[in-house]
Amino acid sequence: MPALATPEQKNEVSAAISERLPAKPRDSFRPTAALTAVFSALTTVNSLWWVLSPQHTLAPVVFGWLLVCGLLGLISVVGSARAEHRPIQWLTWLAQPLGIAVIALVNTTYADWVGWANLACAVATTIVTGLITYLAYHSEISTPKNQTNSKLADFRVLMKFRIISLLLLTTLIPMYLANGGEWPKFYVVVLTLLGGTLAAGGANAINMFYDRDIDAVMSRTKKRPLPNNRLTQWEVLGFGLTLSVLSFLVLLPVNLLTAILAVSGIFYYVVIYTMWLKRTTVQNIVIGGAAGAIPPMVGWAAGTDINLFVDSPIKWLPAVFLFAIVFYWTPPHFWALAIIRREDYAKAGVPMLPVVKGEAETRRQIVLYSFIMIALSFMLVSLQVVGLLYLGLAMVLGAIFLYYAANMMRDHSHAAAWKLYRYSLLYLALLFVAMGIDRALLG
C-alpha cells in the first residue's frame, strides 16, 4: 500500500502547480496597455487638429496629453514586467515615446512637414498599441507569484540611484549659480532634476544592456538583473530607451539647449564610452569621463537663458570650468576602484589602466589628475562665480583629496584605494555644496 503524502508534501505540490497556472486577466499589463492605446488615440486626434487648423493651433490639452502618454509608456514597462513570454512588450516601450518625441516638435516649430510627420507617427503608435492591447486581452499571461516586487527592485537597480544622486547635485548647484545666486522658477528646478534622473537612469540601463556579457564575468556585476536572468534583454533595453526619450520631453519645457545637452550626455555615455572606448583603449575613463561631466552644463543651461548664436562665449565659461572639474575628477575616482577590481577587468578583457599599464603607473596618474582637478577648482574664484569662502573650503577639501591620492603611492593596499574612492565621492559633493553656500552667504 503506497504511503500517504504528508501535509508538507501536499503544500509543496500545490505551490508548484499554482506557479505553473496562468494568471487571471486582471494582470496589470492589460489595463496599462489599454490606457496607453487610448491616449495614443488622443494624440492622434490632437495631431489631426493641428494639421487641419488653418493657423496650425494646438489643442489646449496637448502638453497634458504628452506627459500622460509618456508616463503611461513608463507605467506599461512596470505593468508588463509581470508578463512573461511576451516578445511584443518592447514595442509598447518604443512606439509610445518615439511617437511623442515627434509630437513634441510641434511646440517649437510650425513647419507643415512636422505636422504630417506628427500625425503619421501618432497613427502608427495608435495601431501598434491597439494591437498590443488586443493580444494582451486574447492570450494567457504567465505570472510567477511574488515576482512583481523583485522586478520593480531590478528596474531600480538598472537606474543606479546612488550614482544619480551625485549627478543631480552637480546639476542643482550650477542652476543656482547661473541664475545669479537665486533659484529659478520652481517648475524649472523640478523638471530639470526629473529630466536629469530619467536621462542618467536611461543611460545606465542601456549601458547594462550592452555590457551584459562583461557583467556576467565580473564578480562586482554578475548579480545584476540581466546576467542573473531576472530581466530579459528587451526589458532592459526598452526601459532604458523609454527613460531616455522621456528625459528629452521633460526637459524641453525648460529650454531646448538643456534637453539637447542631456540627450548628448546619453549618447556620449552609451555610444562613445560604452560601445567604443571602454573595450578598445586604456584611455577609456579619461575620454569617456566627459559623459559624467555634462550634468553641470545641463544645470547651467537650465538656470540661464543662453543663446549660443547670439550671446558671448564668456557666459558659458563658468560652465566649462564646472565641466572640467568633474572631467578631471573622474579618472582618480574610477582608477581607485579599478585597482581594487583589477582582476575582474582583466578577466573580462576590459583595458583599464591598472590592467594595461600596471598599478604603479595608475597611482602616478591618479596623483597627476588630482593636481589638475584641484587647480581647476580654484579657477571659479577668478571668474567671480564664487568667493573667498569657497576658496578656503576648496583648499581644505583638495588637500585631503591629495593626501589620500599621495598615500596610495606608499601604501599599495586595497584599503588605501578604498579610502580615496570613498572620499572622492564626498569631495565632489562637498565641493559643489561649498559653491552654493558661498554664493548664498556672500552673494
Side-chain angles (χ1 to χ4, degrees):
M1 182 176 178
L4 297 175
T6 64
E8 291 78 9
Q9 290 174 328
K10 291 180 180 179
N11 291 337
E12 291 177 0
V13 172
S14 298
I17 293 175
S18 63
E19 286 182 358
R20 295 176 179 271
L21 290 176
K24 295 180 180 180
R26 59 184 176 85
D27 191 283
S28 61
F29 174 65
R30 291 169 173 171
T32 52
L35 285 173
T36 306
V38 169
F39 279 89
S40 297
L42 290 176
T43 55
T44 302
V45 172
N46 185 85
S47 305
L48 188 62
W49 179 312
W50 191 89
V51 168
L52 298 179
S53 172
Q55 291 80 29
H56 291 325
T57 56
L58 295 172
V61 292
V62 58
F63 206 76
W65 283 352
L66 296 182
L67 289 179
V68 172
C69 286
L71 290 174
L72 281 172
L74 181 59
I75 291 171
S76 68
V77 176
V78 178
S80 64
R82 299 184 60 192
E84 289 188 337
H85 311 301
R86 185 169 296 284
I88 60 168
Q89 286 177 12
W90 63 277
L91 287 175
T92 305
W93 311 334
L94 291 176
Q96 189 63 22
L98 287 176
I100 296 168
V102 178
I103 296 169
L105 292 175
V106 178
N107 290 296
T108 58
T109 180
Y110 291 96
D112 287 340
W113 70 268
V114 173
W116 287 106
N118 166 25
L119 179 60
C121 198
V123 170
T125 304
T126 303
I127 293 173
V128 171
T129 52
L131 175 63
I132 292 173
T133 303
Y134 174 82
L135 293 174
Y137 278 94
H138 289 79
S139 59
E140 294 294 342
I141 300 177
S142 163
T143 307
K145 289 186 176 181
N146 301 323
Q147 192 179 25
T148 303
N149 291 338
S150 62
K151 285 272 190 177
L152 294 177
D154 287 335
F155 282 120
R156 289 194 295 269
V157 170
L158 294 179
M159 295 183 70
K160 298 183 180 178
F161 275 109
R162 285 187 294 180
I163 296 176
I164 288 177
S165 61
L166 183 58
L167 296 177
L168 292 182
L169 180 61
T170 63
T171 303
L172 181 65
I173 300 301
M175 249 193 298
Y176 177 72
L177 299 176
N179 201 42
E182 296 181 0
W183 290 110
K185 293 180 180 179
F186 180 72
Y187 84 90
V188 171
V189 176
V190 172
L191 290 182
T192 302
L193 295 181
L194 177 59
T197 300
L198 295 172
N204 289 332
I206 299 173
N207 167 268
M208 289 193 197
F209 164 79
Y210 190 82
D211 278 350
R212 59 193 183 278
D213 56 333
I214 294 177
D215 287 349
V217 175
M218 298 178 62
S219 59
R220 183 173 68 94
T221 58
K222 65 183 180 181
K223 292 183 179 180
R224 285 176 174 174
L226 195 49
N228 226 2
N229 295 320
R230 299 197 304 272
L231 294 175
T232 68
Q233 59 182 356
W234 297 118
E235 285 175 327
V236 174
L237 179 60
F239 184 69
L241 291 174
T242 300
L243 293 186
S244 300
V245 174
L246 282 176
S247 70
F248 180 82
L249 297 178
V250 169
L251 290 170
L252 199 57
V254 176
N255 60 58
L256 183 60
L257 180 59
T258 301
I260 291 175
L261 282 171
V263 171
S264 69
I266 298 172
F267 176 83
Y268 198 99
Y269 183 69
V270 171
V271 178
I272 305 299
Y273 171 68
T274 302
M275 296 183 179
W276 177 29
L277 296 173
K278 184 173 182 178
R279 307 186 189 211
T280 59
T281 174
V282 71
Q283 296 296 317
N284 46 20
I285 288 301
V286 176
I287 305 172
I294 288 178
M297 303 189 75
V298 171
W300 196 270
T304 183
D305 192 13
I306 293 180
N307 189 322
L308 294 178
F309 302 102
V310 177
D311 294 330
S312 168
I314 298 298
K315 280 192 173 184
W316 263 108
L317 200 54
V320 172
F321 275 98
L322 291 171
F323 172 92
I325 290 170
V326 181
F327 180 82
Y328 280 96
W329 167 87
T330 303
H333 164 73
F334 200 88
W335 282 336
L337 179 64
I339 287 177
I340 299 169
R341 303 296 184 184
R342 180 177 178 274
E343 293 183 3
D344 256 1
Y345 285 114
K347 190 194 313 182
V350 180
M352 291 296 174
L353 187 62
V355 176
V356 179
K357 300 292 185 179
E359 293 187 14
E361 177 61 24
T362 304
R363 292 186 178 92
R364 284 192 289 270
Q365 292 290 330
I366 286 175
V367 173
L368 173 62
Y369 276 85
S370 298
F371 269 115
I372 298 174
M373 174 197 69
I374 293 168
L376 285 168
S377 70
F378 300 153
M379 294 300 294
L380 293 174
V381 180
S382 63
L383 295 175
Q384 298 182 348
V385 176
V386 286
L388 294 179
L389 176 59
Y390 162 80
L391 179 61
L393 294 172
M395 291 175 67
V396 173
L397 294 171
I400 298 173
F401 195 105
L402 200 56
Y403 166 79
Y404 282 121
N407 184 55
M408 288 183 62
M409 296 291 291
R410 64 176 184 81
D411 185 353
H412 297 173
S413 67
H414 284 181
W418 270 122
K419 288 179 181 178
L420 176 62
Y421 175 76
R422 288 166 179 159
Y423 176 73
S424 65
L425 295 168
L426 182 63
Y427 168 83
L428 191 64
L430 292 180
L431 189 71
F432 274 78
V433 169
M435 299 176 195
I437 292 175
D438 178 276
R439 195 57 185 254
L441 295 181
L442 303 182

